[in-house]
Each structure stands twice: as C-alpha cells, then as structure tokens.
Amino acid sequence: MKFQRSSVVTQLHGAIKRLKQDLKSLHSFALELSKDFQRQSKTCLYQVLAAVQGIQLQNEAMQMFQIKAFDLEQSLQEVTERYEKEKQKRKALHNSLIELRGNIRVHCRIRPLLPFDDASGLSQGRQRNFSEKVAYAADDETVLVKCSRPGHASVNKTFQFERVYNDLESQDAVFADVAPLLTSLLDGYNVCIMAYGQTGSGKTYTMLGPQLEGNLAFAIEEESELGIIPRATQEVFRLISEKPPGSYCVEVSVVEVYNNEIFDLLAKDSCGKVFGIKRDVVTTREGKSDVPLLTHETVENASEFLHLVKKGLLLRVTHPTLVHAHSSRSHLVVTLTITTVVFGDNFGTLCEDEQISQRLNKEASFTFPQKMRDNKSTSSSRASSPVQLEATEKMKQVKTRLQLVDLAGSECVGMSGVTGAALRETSFINRSLSALADVLGAIAEQRAHVPYRNSKLTHLLQDSVGGDAKLLVMLCISPGQKYLTESMQSLGFGTRARQVQRGQVKKKISQCRVKENKT
C-alpha cells in the first residue's frame, strides 16, 4: 500500500515537471510570436506610411496634371475659337472671291446607303462588294472617293467644294447654307439653285422633300423633311413680310423639259383644268432667254405656291427603273418672279426699306402696271389724284428671278434596265446633261461661242448659267461602289462648274418705269 502511494507521487512529480517544461516552451514561443508580431507590425506600419506618402505624392501629381489639363483645355478652346473665326473669315473671303469672279457655288450632298443599293441577281460576295460605301465626306469641304479595280491597289481621290454634307446631315443643315442667297434675291440679284446627279442620288428629295407614291407630301408632319423648294418659298415670303406692304408682287411658273421639249405645267384648258402645253424658248433682242405665252400665276403666300407646284408635279413624267422606283424623266424648273416697286431717287440702293415705307405712307398709295393690276395679288384700283400721279411717275419696277431646278438624273442604261420609250427618254436626258457640261466648259475656257442652243435645257437656263444670276449647284452623290462611275462623273461636273468665271454678278437695274394710273 505504501509502495503504491510512492509510485503515484513519483508519477505526479514527473507530470508536473513535464507540464513546467511545456509551459516554459509555450512561454518562449509566445515571446517569439510577440517579437515577430512587433517586427511585422513595424514593417506593415512602414509600408502603410510609405503607401500614404505615395498616395499623397500621387495626389499632388494628379492635381498638377489636372491643372495642366485645365490649362491645355483652355488653350485648346482658345485655339479652336480662333480657328473657327479664321475659318469663317476664310470662307467669307472665299465667297467674296467667288462673287467677284462670278464663279458658280458648288455644294455636294452624299446620301446614305439604301436598301435598293444591293445589286440584285448577283452572287452574295458580289452584292457585298457593290453595296460597299466608297464615297465619304472627309470634312465639310472635301469629298473622299475610294477608287479600286480588280488586281489594283485602292486609290483615294479628293474633291473640294464650297460645302460637303455627309449622309447624316438633315434638310435643315442643307437649307441653312441656301438661305443667304434668298436675301440676295430681294436685294436685286437673280438666283438659281440647281440639283445635279445620277438618278436615285437624292436630287428630288433635296429639292422637294419626301415623296409618297410618287406625289409630293407637303404635310405639316413632314415639315422637317421639306426640301429646298418649299423652304425657299417660305423664306422668301417671310422676308417679304418684313418689307413695306404692297411693294412686292410674286409670280410662279412651273415647266419641265421632257425629250428636249418645254412643257408649261400650269397651263389650263378652256374648262380650267391644268395640263401640260408645249412651249418654245427664244432669245430676246437683249440676248436673254424667254418662253413666250408661259403661264405665270400670282401667289400671295407659300401655301398658294406649294399648291401650284404640287399641281404641276402631278403632270411631271416619271418612270420606274431598276435604280429608282419614281425616276424623274424630265428636268423640272420652278421660277419665282418677284416684281419690286421702288422710287427713282432710292433706286440705286433698292433696299432702303425705311425710306420706301416713309414715301409710301407720306406721298400716296400706288398701283402696279396693268399686268400686275389684273392679278389677284393687287388691290382694286383707286381714283387717281395729282399727288398719286406724281408719285407713280417716280416709281420704277425691278424684276428678279429665283429659279429652282431639279434636273433629271444621268443614267447608265445597263444598270437602269430601261427599254422602249424609257430608253429614248434616257437618251434625251443624258444628251441635255452633256450639253449643260459643254456650256460650262465653253464658259470656263472663255470660248467665243457658248453652245446654249444645243439643248432646250441650256437655252432655258442660259441667263442663270452664263448670265447674271447667283448660281448654286447642289451635287447629289450615291455612296455605293455600284455607282462609282456615275459619282465620279458628277464630281467631275462639279469641279468644272467651280472653275467657271463669269465676271461679277450684278444687281438688276431699272427695267421700266411704272406708268401713270389713268383709271
């Protein structure tokens, strides 16, 4: 029994001894852990401090960069503003130079790719090739065309014009560059705006606006899509509304040149029904082109004008082709003739509105000549008085014209697929456009003879193309590879047109004195 207790005590002593050793080992390990933690804490603290310092340095650097970026941004803004001012000055000087030389302004509009641009009847690979876009607006004055042939490297060609519109620019943007010409119209200058390009390139859309089933949609909901012709008329009447009441009379005529014949689209039969009557163009003693017996309708607002134009368009010849479902087969010429009454002593300035208004109010009411009195735009004649007769003796009238021309499109017969009568129409269209190019070439080369009479179109437009009108040619371009040849031809035409120098465009001067009203 005593031996057993001694053995247990010995075991307990051994266990206590081992526990003490383990405790000592644990204590040593804890000390090592503590020292290691302190070392790592110091290291981490140093790293955190270094990181904070780095962040502070980066923040300072970022602030410096922000300051530099702000300075650069301000400098860029200043340079951009100066560039825009210089660009506007350059454009103004360029336009002045064009006006002094009598050059023709040329704008170019590139339409978007459309579903019918895909070549039908070809393999899928060829379709992708032909519908590829090759004509671009490099900037607002440059057209870039990628010219490529099988087995040859692609060559880029550029063409410079007064203005280039890309495929995203709206009708508003196009008209914004046209509107200043209309102010010139009321300042005493003749103006002509002409759309040129191959069939399906967007000429009629640019000049008139969208078409529904071949008829113009001058609906209010389509106002943002209206083309140059309706917008120009609205602007003309807006400008007239700011002038002295009764000092302007506006007449409109609508003709088409079809198969080298001129047709009056506002002529009426004995029952008052509008139908096209063949007219002829002659050269007057003064060397001006004129169409005898042409119908001129007086209009008092843009709505009346659009109504008449729409009537005329219903008679315009169209024919579907493989390129365009409503291809125009004739050249359309819409003319606004504005007769302005001014007093003799103010005639040199023509647009002295305040003086005219004062004279109208102080001296007397006036009446237009017999032709203008017969129109609905003139009021009933008043009894003449000595003051009125004296006033009318001092009055003169000036006629200025705004010609708005939607040319028929040039065609490649193989592409359009026309036959029979449509093929004959194509022949006349291409020949008249070729005659127009010949006229421009003759004027540019200052030849002694300009072949205006080679075509009824050029004879009709003689005064605008080679005369004293401010002429704007709106080139319309199809961007696809399929139309590359025709697009290059149109761009070449525009380039030649820019080279024409006709001498300084002049204001219209007195044509006749307003006669006394003896009624």
Side-chain angles (χ1 to χ4, degrees):
M1 192 70 182
K2 186 177 179 181
F3 176 76
Q4 289 179 348
R5 283 197 298 272
S6 177
S7 176
V8 171
V9 170
T10 301
Q11 290 176 356
L12 289 172
H13 279 294
I16 291 169
K17 187 176 180 180
R18 287 194 299 275
L19 288 172
K20 287 181 177 180
Q21 289 177 348
D22 291 343
L23 182 61
K24 187 176 180 180
S25 297
L26 287 172
H27 183 68
S28 298
F29 182 69
L31 289 174
E32 288 296 328
L33 283 177
S34 178
K35 291 177 180 179
D36 187 53
F37 175 75
Q38 289 177 356
R39 286 196 300 271
Q40 291 185 7
S41 296
K42 288 181 180 180
T43 302
C44 290
L45 182 60
Y46 291 146
Q47 291 176 347
V48 169
L49 292 174
V52 170
Q53 290 177 347
I55 290 173
Q56 289 177 344
L57 292 175
Q58 289 179 353
N59 286 336
E60 291 175 0
M62 182 65 71
Q63 290 176 355
M64 293 296 295
F65 282 127
Q66 287 176 341
I67 293 172
K68 289 181 179 179
F70 180 75
D71 291 339
L72 288 173
E73 186 177 354
Q74 281 191 322
S75 299
L76 178 61
Q77 185 175 356
E78 291 174 0
V79 170
T80 302
E81 289 175 356
R82 287 202 301 269
Y83 169 74
E84 288 299 327
K85 289 180 180 179
E86 292 299 323
K87 186 177 180 181
Q88 294 301 322
K89 287 181 182 178
R90 186 191 66 79
K91 281 189 175 182
L93 291 173
H94 178 66
N95 288 333
S96 298
L97 181 62
I98 287 175
E99 189 151 321
L100 288 171
R101 290 179 174 177
N103 286 34
I104 298 171
R105 294 173 175 83
V106 182
H107 295 186
C108 180
R109 188 180 196 185
I110 303 174
R111 70 158 172 81
L113 284 172
L114 299 172
F116 65 76
D117 288 330
D118 290 334
S120 59
L122 299 175
S123 65
Q124 190 67 25
R126 291 289 297 277
Q127 280 192 6
R128 286 196 299 269
N129 181 45
F130 274 99
S131 61
E132 176 188 357
K133 186 175 180 180
V134 296
Y136 304 85
D139 55 44
D140 62 358
E141 294 179 352
T142 309
V143 177
L144 172 66
V145 181
K146 295 182 178 179
C147 303
S148 61
R149 291 183 298 167
H152 293 76
S154 177
V155 177
N156 293 338
K157 293 187 177 182
T158 58
F159 299 84
Q160 299 289 326
F161 301 106
E162 277 69 47
R163 181 72 162 86
V164 174
Y165 308 93
N166 63 44
D167 55 2
L168 298 178
E169 294 196 68
S170 66
Q171 300 277 63
D172 291 329
V174 174
F175 184 70
D177 295 317
V178 173
L181 288 174
L182 304 177
T183 303
S184 297
L185 178 70
L186 268 67
D187 284 345
Y189 294 93
N190 286 333
V191 175
C192 178
I193 303 169
M194 177 190 305
Y196 181 98
Q198 74 163 121
T199 185
S201 59
K203 299 183 303 301
T204 300
Y205 174 79
T206 298
M207 293 301 294
L208 292 166
Q211 288 184 291
L212 300 177
E213 299 179 351
N215 294 328
L216 262 180
F218 287 128
I220 296 176
E221 58 268 24
E222 298 286 350
E223 187 170 351
S224 63
E225 295 297 313
L226 290 179
I228 290 174
I229 291 178
R231 287 173 184 263
T233 311
Q234 292 172 355
E235 178 65 10
V236 166
F237 279 101
R238 187 192 68 79
L239 292 171
I240 288 177
S241 69
E242 298 174 354
K243 305 295 182 179
S247 57
Y248 290 84
C249 175
V250 182
E251 297 172 308
V252 60
S253 65
V254 181
V255 303
E256 70 171 350
V257 182
Y258 174 67
N259 288 352
N260 204 35
E261 297 289 350
I262 295 175
F263 291 89
D264 183 351
L265 298 186
L266 295 184
K268 298 178 182 179
D269 60 15
S270 57
C271 298
K273 182 179 179 181
V274 175
F275 71 107
I277 293 182
K278 187 185 295 187
R279 305 291 191 195
D280 200 6
V281 57
V282 299
T283 301
T284 64
R285 293 180 179 178
E286 295 77 19
K288 304 291 184 180
S289 61
D290 185 38
V291 181
L293 304 178
L294 181 63
T295 304
H296 294 271
E297 293 281 355
T298 302
V299 291
E300 296 181 341
N301 51 57
S303 297
E304 291 182 2
F305 165 83
L306 295 179
H307 178 70
L308 289 173
V309 172
K310 194 171 182 179
K311 278 187 176 181
L313 288 172
L314 292 175
L315 299 177
R316 190 182 186 188
V317 181
T318 61
H319 186 84
T321 70
L322 295 179
V323 178
H324 192 216
H326 299 288
S327 177
S328 301
R329 315 307 293 170
S330 66
H331 310 292
L332 178 72
V333 182
V334 178
T335 304
L336 265 77
T337 303
I338 301 179
T339 302
T340 309
V341 172
V342 291
F343 287 90
D345 54 353
N346 288 334
F347 192 79
T349 55
L350 183 62
C351 289
E352 300 285 346
D353 295 341
E354 292 183 2
Q355 294 183 37
I356 294 175
S357 181
Q358 291 173 3
R359 296 288 292 275
L360 287 173
N361 291 332
K362 291 182 178 180
E363 293 189 15
S365 300
F366 66 87
T367 55
F368 286 98
Q370 183 63 42
K371 180 180 178 182
M372 299 176 68
R373 290 204 307 271
D374 292 339
N375 291 326
K376 63 181 178 180
S377 61
T378 57
S379 58
S380 59
S381 58
R382 302 181 178 90
S384 299
S385 65
V387 176
Q388 183 177 353
L389 293 178
E390 181 181 354
T392 55
E393 272 297 317
K394 298 178 181 179
M395 296 176 193
K396 299 175 184 178
Q397 59 172 308
V398 180
K399 289 184 180 291
T400 54
R401 290 193 308 177
L402 170 63
Q403 283 190 310
L404 302 161
V405 186
D406 178 24
L407 296 174
S410 58
E411 285 187 8
C412 172
V413 176
M415 187 177 296
S416 62
V418 293
T419 58
L423 180 59
R424 183 168 180 267
E425 292 168 350
T426 297
S427 175
F428 277 111
I429 290 170
N430 289 342
R431 272 189 280 174
S432 61
L433 294 175
S434 177
L436 180 59
D438 291 341
V439 164
L440 290 176
I443 299 173
E445 295 171 11
Q446 298 182 348
R447 297 180 204 161
H449 173 68
V450 180
Y452 290 113
R453 298 193 184 187
N454 284 0
S455 166
K456 293 288 180 68
L457 174 67
T458 52
H459 197 180
L460 178 66
L461 299 178
Q462 175 178 342
D463 297 342
S464 295
V465 175
D468 58 357
K470 292 188 176 184
L471 176 57
L472 168 63
V473 175
M474 184 69 68
L475 293 182
C476 293
I477 301 298
S478 301
Q481 172 72 36
K482 177 180 177 181
Y483 310 105
L484 177 59
T485 301
E486 288 76 13
S487 295
M488 291 295 290
Q489 186 273 332
S490 296
L491 292 167
F493 175 88
T495 300
R496 288 193 299 275
R498 289 190 76 202
Q499 297 170 352
V500 173
Q501 297 182 15
R502 304 172 298 167
Q504 185 173 5
V505 177
K506 298 178 181 179
K507 282 186 179 183
K508 300 299 289 182
I509 59 175
S510 178
Q511 295 179 351
C512 61
R513 183 182 297 273
V514 175
K515 297 179 181 179
E516 294 180 3
N517 177 18
K518 298 182 179 180
T519 58

